[in-house]
Amino acid sequence: LCTTFYGFFIFAKILFRRRDDSTPFIVGVLVLVATVFIDILGVNDIIPLYNISSIGLFFFIFFQSITLSMRYSRAFVSLESMSDKLAQSNEEKDRFLADSKESERKYRELIENMDDVFFIINREGRLMYLSPAVKRIFDYNPDGLLNALSTDFMLPEDIDEVARVFRKVGDGKSHQVR
């Protein structure tokens, strides 16, 4: 009896909070409980009708299947929505990559066609990239100079100043060289 009252309390709470799929679930449970109660009254000769709990069980299972189909339907709609968002995100990523490649191509073209020497040095001071202008200006093959120490191309009196500037830049500080 206590369990029954507790169950009704939980059902009332579910209905009050209007949880998804609560109505078919509670209708199925109430039909099952009503038919079992009628069978109990019939077996005790209080009413002439009994043995209908199997019908109540059928309705309980039927309403449970409705509840499950509603949940699967919502899950499928949610899955479709997430799939569409993922496809849209992939399209944005592809556009970004294409724009990035185009930007890189333009940047590389600019660097390779400028009349000034452009170079990239790693933290150890080694040359990682030299623009083709090195060939035009100094008649050096840029590929042959890769991985060489940048200090090999500096005046000895400038090495300390350049090292100080590189440390500042390496620490994320901006510095202008004159």
Side-chain angles (χ1 to χ4, degrees):
L1 190 59
C2 289
T3 305
T4 304
F5 284 127
Y6 179 70
F8 283 125
F9 171 74
I10 295 297
F11 293 148
K13 196 173 177 182
I14 290 171
L15 278 176
F16 179 72
R17 291 186 179 171
R18 297 191 188 269
R19 298 203 44 187
D20 294 340
D21 311 327
S22 62
T23 304
F25 173 73
I26 290 178
V27 168
V29 168
L30 290 178
V31 168
L32 179 63
V33 168
T35 56
V36 168
F37 186 69
I38 289 172
D39 276 355
I40 291 171
L41 292 177
V43 167
N44 290 319
D45 291 328
I46 297 174
I47 60 172
L49 183 66
Y50 67 94
N51 203 12
I52 61 169
S53 59
S54 58
I55 296 170
L57 182 60
F58 169 77
F59 277 104
F60 174 74
I61 292 171
F62 176 74
F63 283 113
Q64 288 297 317
S65 65
I66 290 174
T67 302
L68 286 174
S69 66
M70 290 169 61
R71 287 184 182 176
Y72 283 131
S73 174
R74 267 197 315 279
F76 183 72
V77 167
S78 176
L79 181 66
E80 282 183 330
S81 172
M82 286 188 273
S83 178
D84 290 343
K85 286 179 183 178
L86 182 61
Q88 182 181 5
S89 178
N90 281 338
E91 288 173 6
E92 290 174 8
K93 175 196 63 120
D94 291 343
R95 279 195 305 271
F96 175 77
L97 286 175
D99 291 346
S100 177
K101 286 181 181 179
E102 178 63 17
S103 176
E104 180 183 354
R105 186 194 63 77
K106 287 179 181 178
Y107 179 73
R108 184 172 299 278
E109 187 177 301
L110 175 73
I111 295 298
E112 290 180 357
N113 291 321
M114 68 183 195
D115 291 330
D116 294 327
V117 174
F118 178 83
F119 57 93
I120 298 174
I121 300 174
N122 67 10
R123 289 188 179 267
E124 290 81 35
R126 297 201 175 272
L127 294 169
M128 301 307 294
Y129 174 81
L130 284 161
S131 65
V134 169
K135 176 75 172 161
R136 290 190 304 270
I137 296 171
F138 300 111
D139 200 29
Y140 284 124
N141 180 6
D143 294 334
L145 299 174
L146 291 180
N147 231 4
L149 282 172
S150 58
T151 54
D152 294 344
F153 305 98
M154 295 181 205
L155 296 173
E157 60 268 14
D158 292 339
I159 291 177
D160 289 338
E161 175 65 19
V162 171
R164 187 180 64 75
V165 169
F166 281 155
R167 277 194 298 277
K168 275 188 169 183
V169 171
D171 291 340
K173 298 175 183 167
S174 178
H175 187 77
Q176 183 175 0
V177 179
R178 295 183 195 135

